[in-house]
Amino acid sequence: MGKVLGMLPSELLQRLDLGLEGDLPHLEEALTHPSFSNEQRGGRRVDNQRLEFLGDAVLGLCVTELLMERFPGAREGELSMMRSALVNTDALAAWARGIELGAALRVGRGAEVAGERDQTNVLADATEALVAALYLDRGFESARALSRKIAASPLAQLASGSLLGRDAKSELQERVQARGAASPRYRLMGTEGPDHDRAFLVAVEVDGQVIGTGRGRSKKLAEQAAARAALLSCAAPEPAAAACDGRAVAEALQGAPEGRGGPPSGEASSEQTVNDRGPSR
C-alpha cells in the first residue's frame, strides 16, 4: 500500500480511521478515477468503477441493517425512503468532502483541469469504492463500521425529526395542496414524562384523517416529526390533484391503501418511527 500512502495525507487516514495494520490491496484501485487509468499506457488498467458497483450493494445492506435496528416500528416504504436519504449521491459526496477524500483520488490530467476531483458523482463513487475495498480486504465487519460512519451525520438529522435539507412542515403543505386538499392541521395529543424532560405528542391531519404522528421536546419539534412521519409514508405515486379529496390524500401520504400494509384511515403512524429523540436501540 506504500504507493497509495504517499498520495494520502496523514490526516485523511486518521479521519477514515482505517488503521495501518494489515494490507489494503484494493485501496489504490478504490481511489483511481477512470480518467487516470485511461491515460496510462500499457499494463493492466484498473479504476474504481467495479468496486463502486460492489460498494453500492455493501453500503446499502449495512445502512438497511442500521435503519431496521434504529427504527423497529418503521414500515417497508419508510425504511426505503430513509435509506435513500442516507446513501444518495449528495449524502455520500458530503461525507467524502468532510474527510477530504477528493484530495486522495488519482484523476487524469484533463479531469484535474475540469475540476472533476470535487464533483459530486465522482466523490460518491469513490466513497462506495472505498467501502468495497474495505469489505474485500478486511471483511464485512470493517465495511459495516465504515458504512455506519458514512451514514452517521444524515442519520442524526433523521432521528432528530428534521427533514434532510428541507423543512418537513413546508414540504408536507406543498404536497397536500398540490393534491387540492386543505392545509394540514396539527393537533396536540398529549404530553409525557416529568417536567424537566417533557415530550409532546402531536398528530397531523388532512381533512380529518390522521396521516402521521410525532414526538418532540417542544410542540414545534413534535409537529416537524409528525410531518416527517407523513412524508416518510409517501411511497405511492401521486394521484392527479383534481381527483383527490381529503381521504385520498391521507391514503396516498400513508403510502398504501387499507389492507395493503398502511395503517387504517384515522389511525396514527407509529410514533416510534420518527421522533425528536430517536427511538431507543
Side-chain angles (χ1 to χ4, degrees):
M1 186 169 69
K3 183 177 180 181
V4 177
L5 285 176
M7 301 176 62
L8 285 170
S10 58
E11 315 87 69
L12 177 59
L13 286 177
Q14 293 173 0
R15 291 170 184 170
L16 288 174
D17 196 22
L18 292 178
L20 298 178
E21 71 285 351
D23 195 14
L24 284 171
H26 288 93
L27 183 57
E28 180 174 330
E29 182 179 346
L31 297 174
T32 302
H33 186 259
S35 63
F36 181 89
S37 63
N38 289 340
E39 292 181 1
Q40 306 308 302
R41 295 182 178 179
R44 179 170 175 261
R45 300 180 181 181
V46 296
D47 58 50
N48 62 11
Q49 296 303 287
R50 284 174 57 85
L51 288 180
E52 179 268 328
F53 175 74
L54 174 61
D56 175 60
V58 175
L59 182 62
L61 172 60
C62 292
V63 171
T64 298
E65 175 188 62
L66 176 60
L67 288 172
M68 292 188 69
E69 177 184 308
R70 288 291 300 274
F71 301 96
R75 300 190 301 276
E76 179 186 1
E78 296 170 329
L79 290 169
S80 178
M81 187 171 181
M82 287 189 282
R83 181 177 60 192
S84 295
L86 298 188
V87 298
N88 63 41
T89 300
D90 289 334
L92 297 183
W95 177 82
R97 292 188 178 100
I99 53 96
E100 299 179 13
L101 183 59
L105 297 181
R106 301 196 304 174
V107 301
R109 290 185 293 271
E112 184 76 71
V113 172
E116 290 191 32
R117 184 185 297 275
D118 192 52
Q119 285 190 2
T120 295
N121 63 321
V122 171
L123 291 173
D125 286 354
T127 297
E128 292 175 332
L130 189 61
V131 172
L134 215 58
Y135 170 76
L136 291 174
D137 296 340
R138 294 191 178 169
F140 182 72
E141 288 302 322
S142 293
R144 172 192 280 159
L146 180 58
S147 296
R148 293 194 173 210
K149 290 180 181 181
I150 292 170
S153 180
L155 180 63
Q157 296 181 61
L158 192 68
S160 73
S162 62
L163 190 64
L164 299 178
R166 291 214 51 183
D167 173 72
K169 290 180 65 176
S170 297
E171 180 162 339
L172 180 62
Q173 171 124 348
E174 290 177 10
R175 294 197 187 189
V176 169
Q177 290 182 339
R179 293 183 171 99
S183 296
R185 295 185 60 184
Y186 295 85
R187 174 169 54 86
L188 179 64
M189 300 171 61
T191 60
E192 60 181 25
D195 290 341
H196 67 277
D197 191 23
R198 182 63 53 85
F200 294 84
L201 306 178
V202 168
V204 57
E205 303 174 346
V206 173
D207 288 343
Q209 301 292 324
V210 175
I211 61 173
T213 63
R215 178 189 291 107
R217 296 187 184 95
S218 67
K219 291 180 182 179
K220 182 177 180 180
L221 289 174
E223 289 176 356
Q224 287 286 347
R228 178 159 183 79
L231 289 168
L232 286 173
S233 297
C234 186
E238 295 190 5
C244 285
D245 57 14
R247 185 180 181 85
V249 170
E251 291 178 351
L253 286 170
Q254 284 169 344
E258 295 181 11
R260 301 273 302 175
S265 297
E267 290 186 10
S269 301
S270 170
E271 292 170 7
Q272 194 176 20
T273 304
V274 180
N275 58 62
D276 174 50
R277 300 179 189 180
S280 58
R281 299 181 63 173

